[in-house]
Amino acid sequence: MKVQNIEEEIIQTKNHLAFLEKSLKEIQKKCDHQFKRNDNFERCLKCNKAEALYY
Ligand SMILES: [Zn+2]
């Protein structure tokens, strides 16, 4: 694999990752969360969003 190809693939992967993260945030923003409580955090059963619990 050539360096240029690798660099090209890194850029494409980063763009793809940014797209995925944005999609996930969008889903979690719209989600009607249903949290299930764990030890020190709670996680939404629908979108998997986790939130830390503070006492
Ligand atoms: Zn949710």
Side-chain angles (χ1 to χ4, degrees), residues 1-17:
M1 216 178 198
K2 285 179 182 169
V3 168
Q4 275 181 330
N5 292 352
I6 294 172
E7 286 178 342
E8 178 74 13
E9 193 157 334
I10 287 171
I11 290 166
Q12 285 178 4
T13 304
K14 278 182 179 173
N15 287 340
H16 187 55
L17 184 63

Side-chain angles (χ1 to χ4, degrees), residues 3-54:
V3 168
Q4 275 181 330
N5 292 352
I6 294 172
E7 286 178 342
E8 178 74 13
E9 193 157 334
I10 287 171
I11 290 166
Q12 285 178 4
T13 304
K14 278 182 179 173
N15 287 340
H16 187 55
L17 184 63
F19 169 77
L20 289 175
E21 284 176 342
K22 198 173 160 231
S23 302
L24 183 61
K25 270 187 189 163
E26 204 59 34
I27 290 168
Q28 291 180 330
K29 207 168 77 181
K30 288 175 185 168
C31 179
D32 178 23
H33 299 306
Q34 192 184 328
F35 286 113
K36 184 180 191 297
R37 197 163 166 170
N38 285 293
D39 287 340
N40 49 6
F41 68 96
E42 53 185 11
R43 187 181 293 281
C44 176
L45 296 172
K46 293 176 178 177
C47 73
N48 229 24
K49 183 183 172 71
E51 281 185 3
L53 296 173
Y54 300 101

